[in-house]
Amino acid sequence: MGGNAVLQSREGPLLASLKESVINFETETLVELCRNYLELGLDANKAVFEGLIPGMLEVGRLYEEQIYFIPEMLMCAETLYTGLEIFQPHMTSSVQHAKGKILIGVVEGDVHDIGKNLVRMMFEIAGYQVTDLGRDVPMDVFLKTALNEDFNLVCMSSMMSTTMYEMKTLIKNLKEKKPELKVMIGGAPVSKLHAIKWRADGYAPDAQKALVVVQQLLNTIKLINEERRL
């Protein structure tokens, strides 16, 4: 078996172990796994996006299903950030050509912010500058912040069918006052069809997809700006 094949055969189990260490908040085990992973010369980006982040996404699911609670969430997050501190000096940014400023928040009336926090974390790891308004954000605060500061993208979420229509009104107001501003939406009751009907520029069902959509949207903005300068 060649050297690359040997590394690949060891990479998969290590990624799975990184994920499990986050889920089980085993910080000491994670530190050892991170060091072993780097000593093998494996890709730090892959460790984060295919090991640590999937672990935290699973933690979010466990929290939503009330299997995990706030103490477990905090311990898992501490384990995650320990791994990030180890890997970040070895990471290469795959989004340098698309970096931008992002505003994110949960719409008014909704206090569910686990998904939003995971999305924010993904953006920050990828190198974006993120302003987080938190949860249950009044519409006037969302509007004022989005319109008065120089953001490339506004991301909003709702986990409740009773509050998701706040996004429709917010998008309408944003597009009327600042039509060039890109908007992405997400949340359990939200679908791609809602995004189309409400004139959102993007939709993502989860944190990993959100990062892909953001890259696409900000690349589009960059291309438009370059064409205008020609």
Side-chain angles (χ1 to χ4, degrees), residues 1-10:
M1 186 180 290
N4 288 337
V6 171
L7 286 178
Q8 288 177 359
S9 70
R10 298 184 67 179

Side-chain angles (χ1 to χ4, degrees), residues 57 60 63-64 73 104 106 112-121 157 159 206-207:
L57 291 173
Y63 179 82
E64 293 294 343
M73 280 287 296
I104 190 170
V106 179
H112 301 85
D113 63 354
I114 297 299
K116 182 268 299 175
N117 290 340
L118 291 173
V119 170
R120 184 202 68 217
M121 190 183 302
S157 70
M159 291 294 291
D206 56 50

Side-chain angles (χ1 to χ4, degrees), residues 39-178:
E39 285 173 1
L40 289 171
L42 296 170
D43 184 0
N45 287 51
K46 199 169 184 179
V48 170
F49 289 106
E50 296 185 27
L52 301 183
I53 293 299
M56 201 63 198
L57 291 173
E58 176 63 12
V59 171
R61 185 190 68 80
L62 293 171
Y63 179 82
E64 293 294 343
E65 294 185 3
Q66 296 188 336
I67 297 170
Y68 273 11
F69 297 93
I70 294 296
E72 289 86 357
M73 280 287 296
L74 293 175
M75 288 187 287
C76 291
E78 181 180 344
T79 302
L80 170 74
Y81 280 114
T82 297
L84 290 177
E85 287 179 5
I86 295 172
F87 283 127
Q88 278 183 329
H90 305 275
M91 293 178 69
T92 56
S93 175
S94 61
V95 292
Q96 288 181 351
H97 58 292
K99 283 184 179 177
K101 293 177 64 178
I102 300 172
L103 178 67
I104 190 170
V106 179
V107 296
E108 189 169 10
D110 195 333
V111 297
H112 301 85
D113 63 354
I114 297 299
K116 182 268 299 175
N117 290 340
L118 291 173
V119 170
R120 184 202 68 217
M121 190 183 302
M122 291 287 283
F123 292 168
E124 290 174 340
I125 291 169
Y128 292 99
Q129 183 179 343
V130 183
T131 297
D132 186 355
L133 293 177
R135 59 188 182 180
D136 191 16
V137 183
M139 187 172 298
D140 61 334
V141 173
F142 234 131
L143 280 170
K144 182 179 179 181
T145 308
L147 297 175
N148 292 345
E149 298 185 34
D150 187 25
F151 292 104
N152 304 109
L153 177 69
V154 174
C155 298
M156 58 186 79
S157 70
S158 173
M159 291 294 291
M160 300 167 60
S161 59
T162 53
T163 59
M164 61 186 280
Y165 291 95
E166 290 287 316
M167 292 192 283
K168 178 181 179 181
T169 306
L170 186 51
I171 293 169
K172 181 176 182 292
N173 289 333
L174 284 172
K175 292 295 184 180
E176 286 177 353
K177 295 177 173 63
K178 200 172 184 179

Side-chain angles (χ1 to χ4, degrees), residues 153-157 167 171 175 181-187 190-205 209-210 212-218:
L153 177 69
V154 174
C155 298
M156 58 186 79
S157 70
M167 292 192 283
I171 293 169
K175 292 295 184 180
L181 185 61
K182 299 296 183 183
V183 178
M184 183 174 78
I185 64 174
V190 185
S191 68
K192 190 171 184 178
L193 182 59
H194 289 113
I196 294 170
K197 286 183 175 180
W198 299 345
R199 295 179 58 209
D201 301 284
Y203 157 77
K209 292 289 193 308
V212 174
V213 174
V214 163
Q215 290 173 324
Q216 293 170 343
L217 288 174
L218 295 189

Side-chain angles (χ1 to χ4, degrees), residues 25-37:
F25 40 91
E26 297 171 338
T27 304
E28 291 183 5
T29 299
L30 183 84
V31 170
E32 185 176 350
L33 288 167
C34 292
R35 289 172 178 165
N36 290 341
Y37 192 93

